Amino acid sequence: MAASRGPPLLGFRALALALLLAILLLLGCSAAAAYAGAEGVLRQVVGRRGDDGGGGNFFEPFNVTYDHRAVLIGGKRRMLVSAGLHYPRATPEMWPSLIAKFKEGGADVIETYVFWNGHEPAKGQYYFEERFDLVKFAKLVAAEGLFLFLRIGPYACAEWNFGGFPVWLRDIPGIEFRTDNEPFKAEMQIFVTKIVTLMKEEKLYSWQGGPIILQQIENEYGNIQGNYGQAGKRYMQWAAQMAIGLDTGIPWVMCRQTDAPEEIIDTCNAFYCDGFKPNSYNKPTIWTEDWDGWYADWGGALPHRPAEDSAFAVARFYQRGGSLQNYYMYFGGTNFARTAGGPLQITSYDYDAPIDEYGILRQPKWGHLKDLHTAIKLCEPALIAVVGSPQYIKLGSMQEAHVYSTGEVHTNGSMAGNAQICSAFLANIDEHKYASVWIFGKSYSLPPWSVSILPDCENVAFNTARIGAQTSVFTVESGSPSRSSRHKPSILSLTSGGPYLSSTWWTSKETIGTWGGNNFAVQGILEHLNVTKDISDYLWYTTRVNISDADVAFWSSKGVLPSLTIDKIRDVARVFVNGKLAGSQVGHWVSLKQPIQLVEGLNELTLLSEIVGLQNYGAFLEKDGAGFRGQVTLTGLSDGDVDLTNSLWTYQVGLKGEFSMIYAPEKQGCAGWSRMQKDSTMFSTPKGTDPVAIDLGSMGKGQAWVNGHLIGRYWSLVAPESGCSSSCYYPGAYNERKYHIPREWLKESDNLLVLFEETGGDPSLISLEAHYAKAVCSRISENYYPPLSAWSHLSSGRASVNAATPELRLQCDDGHVISEITFASYGTPSGGCLNFSKGNCHASSTLDLVTEACVGNTKCAISVSNDVFGDPCRGVLKDLAVEAKCSPPSTTKEPRGDM
């Protein structure tokens, strides 16, 4: 890099001159993390294929069928846990680590949509590279011994731009989406056939030794089918028969399609699906979308679904006859580039999933659900043994039990010594009150809104409301430039040590309105997408208005200004008059009325239409469009209003910097940057392999590129204050002002950050952050359940548990170790994570014993019993509470000398 040149950033100032700025930033960064490939001995493997797909099968070829109870894998019923991972929302380098975490968390199946607009960006031109390398993704899933649920659609919804439809599709003459329309059906069949053929060619179906066991045609069509009348019904039946005719050899599903044909499994999408039953007794009960979180809109709240409620919903599903449940999402990821859906959905697709946007375990959600999956698997022999319905026992007004067994169970007596396979689920669906229930000759205490799972119809292995998993606090190490002296460079120190690299902000002005030779002029207001074809978020409309001296005198005498009105706009519209910003409007098909300052003579009026994600859900998507609708009118003139709708308008697609690719490192020689500030700023960026985030909270709205990669849109809006109160404090909530930069997009040094900033901000406050769990903590009672690892299956298939004490387990993220125990107490501690305090009862040896067991290790387990710590207060129920610090191995500290 040039000696005087540092970081550039691209911005758009809404100052008096309303400049569009381009600001460039060079960042030094540690080497990109190397992601380990999938490893391990695989079940049913006969020969392992590498990432290139060469040689052998992943599995012994097996058939997939189903009966009324479950999906049959190789002729055997299975209770399957599926988990969602959309391959384009992560980088290929992230896939192996993510898939391994899915497996570790107890998933049997990975589910993904197939994204039509990513794979066929232009008609007949297919793309299966980089983040859209579906074949590589499928093979990595198989390499971990997991199955794949492929939701081909090809309509996805998924909060993905245009619901996954390519924009070119709407330009086909006579086309109507998702109805009995020949042009649409022809294109849909071509694409679905393309995907199925590719999967067959790569031998990825189960009967070929591949991982694909289920596939989906269409998506939630039942929600909108009524809008199309009988044409909708015919289309649904056509889609089903078209899919079946592709002869894939495995089952097809349709979600939220209660009138699905007999050959197609209809499935449930919802927060709770325990009451769902398919439309035929011959079909198993499948939950294709278990919404364990939710998406977010710009300026909206960030949703959170507690781990306890998610676990309750899943346990109830299997309790009441469910057979396959899929988390939507288990990892949400990032809407890189311009893939976020609309209207106005954010770049992060974190979804409050068990694995966060950066690929880090979200605890306690991930750990709690892992324990749930283990408990369900302990019950699998009993769950698949029941041919009809389980035994149902009413235990109270809002309490019930379902017992799965190979024979009739006398629930009033003890199950001790009973050799038959038996598992039970005890539910308390009261939202507020504990309940004590009597069954199997014992009393069981059930917390509100919870399910207890008894794999042996005697001992509780798991309760959905009692969390035994740790809590991880997603603290970031961050920094931003500060100005201590004009002569002494400021420091952005993210980690100790490492080189500090010079940085200087540079800027480039964007032209308002027309900037290139590819503009054109026509009479009338054209629809945004018809002009841009979605190659850019931005479309300029420019016209000229002649103002008389009588108009100016009229406004002066009345003390008023004329206004520009537009009947409807989406998503953002900005009004410029003679090169200056007059005002903006945000919304989904809302009206705009903007007072403007005009001068005598010829005035240039420029409108900037901005898309923030195309509509991804609903009927008639092809008709939604973008830009402006209705009349464009200049009001308040001396002779009345002037209709500008049919005036001569000049159109320019996109931004000059965008199409000149000044965000790309190889284009810097022609970028035309000028220095923005005199002080240099020194940057040191995160070392190691932790995910990297950039905090753009000091900026306004725009798009961000790193080394030529479009991270996505950013927009710093204030979310509403409603939501969780202090009583539902949840460490590790994500933040929409932070954006994921995949490490593989970074170099050791001289990284190029370019922002297109629309509304202004302070680039000196931008910071990089290493994202990891800095603190982990847990609290376990001595009367908690034995560790699930203590359970085993007897030769009869029945589960049993040996006498074992509860355990408190802690684990740092990959690449980190427990460096310090910041709190430890066995006795009666109070408070919660980051706020523990000792009670009147406390074992003085706790800190030393926990330190010895944990410090220096990535993970540790401590038995919670008097045998370990002694009994500091006889006759009192005791808890073990521990809080630990996670750090890179080189920063491990000695234990504190006091508490």
Side-chain angles (χ1 to χ4, degrees), residues 218 278 645 829:
E218 251 296 336
T645 309

Side-chain angles (χ1 to χ4, degrees), residues 124-329:
Q125 299 178 20
Y126 296 101
Y127 183 76
F128 290 93
E129 305 296 330
E130 298 179 330
R131 291 185 295 111
F132 292 92
D133 192 340
L134 175 58
V135 170
K136 179 177 181 177
F137 176 75
K139 291 178 179 179
L140 287 170
V141 171
E144 277 288 357
L146 299 180
F147 302 129
L148 184 61
F149 179 8
L150 199 62
R151 302 174 73 187
I152 300 175
Y155 168 68
C157 184
E159 293 71 60
W160 186 268
N161 193 51
F162 211 31
F165 286 134
V167 170
W168 58 260
L169 199 64
R170 69 196 295 272
D171 294 332
I172 294 175
I175 199 165
E176 292 182 69
F177 292 5
R178 304 177 75 194
T179 187
D180 188 16
N181 173 267
E182 293 305 321
F184 177 77
K185 291 191 298 182
E187 293 300 331
M188 175 175 167
Q189 184 165 1
I190 290 170
F191 181 74
V192 174
T193 303
K194 173 73 175 180
I195 297 300
V196 168
T197 302
L198 179 62
M199 298 301 101
K200 288 181 180 179
E201 290 172 348
E202 295 291 337
K203 301 188 185 319
L204 292 172
Y205 283 107
S206 64
W207 50 271
Q208 299 174 299
I212 304 176
I213 63 167
L214 286 174
Q215 56 207 339
Q216 179 178 298
I217 193 71
E218 251 296 336
N219 186 50
E220 293 188 334
Y221 188 65
N223 292 359
I224 66 164
Q225 182 174 313
N227 292 279
Y228 299 97
Q230 287 302 307
K233 179 76 170 180
R234 293 193 301 271
Y235 162 73
M236 183 276 296
Q237 293 171 336
W238 168 86
Q241 294 307 314
M242 182 269 289
I244 293 167
L246 293 173
D247 193 26
T248 62
I250 63 171
W252 286 90
V253 308
M254 280 182 159
C255 60
R256 287 200 165 186
Q257 194 68 50
T258 57
D259 58 350
E262 182 65 24
E263 305 94 329
I264 304 283
I265 305 171
D266 58 305
T267 64
C268 183
N269 290 2
F271 287 106
Y272 306 92
C273 281
D274 54 288
F276 170 79
K277 293 298 177 187
N279 63 9
S280 168
Y281 176 79
N282 298 319
K283 302 176 184 181
T285 301
I286 294 177
W287 190 359
T288 37
E289 290 190 14
D290 169 5
W291 301 328
D292 53 6
W294 202 245
Y295 60 88
D297 299 328
W298 293 112
L302 297 174
H304 165 59
R305 187 177 188 184
E308 299 94 325
D309 183 61
S310 190
F312 173 79
V314 174
R316 287 287 284 167
F317 177 72
Y318 288 100
Q319 175 181 5
R320 300 183 66 189
S323 64
L324 184 152
Q325 167 268 344
N326 175 68
Y327 292 103
Y328 191 98
M329 301 293 297

Side-chain angles (χ1 to χ4, degrees), residues 27-99:
L27 304 174
C29 183
S30 59
Y35 287 82
E39 299 179 28
V41 178
L42 310 179
R43 52 190 159 88
Q44 299 180 290
V45 174
V46 291
R48 186 177 171 192
R49 286 185 282 195
D51 288 352
D52 61 355
N57 295 330
F58 289 105
F59 302 91
E60 288 281 2
F62 61 97
N63 291 325
V64 180
T65 56
Y66 59 87
D67 64 13
H68 69 282
R69 181 66 186 97
V71 173
L72 278 65
I73 303 294
K76 297 180 179 180
R77 289 177 180 167
R78 291 291 309 275
M79 294 292 108
L80 295 170
V81 173
S82 179
L85 192 174
H86 296 160
Y87 51 98
R89 284 175 160 143
T91 61
E93 291 81 359
M94 294 172 67
W95 293 343
S97 174
L98 289 169
I99 294 166

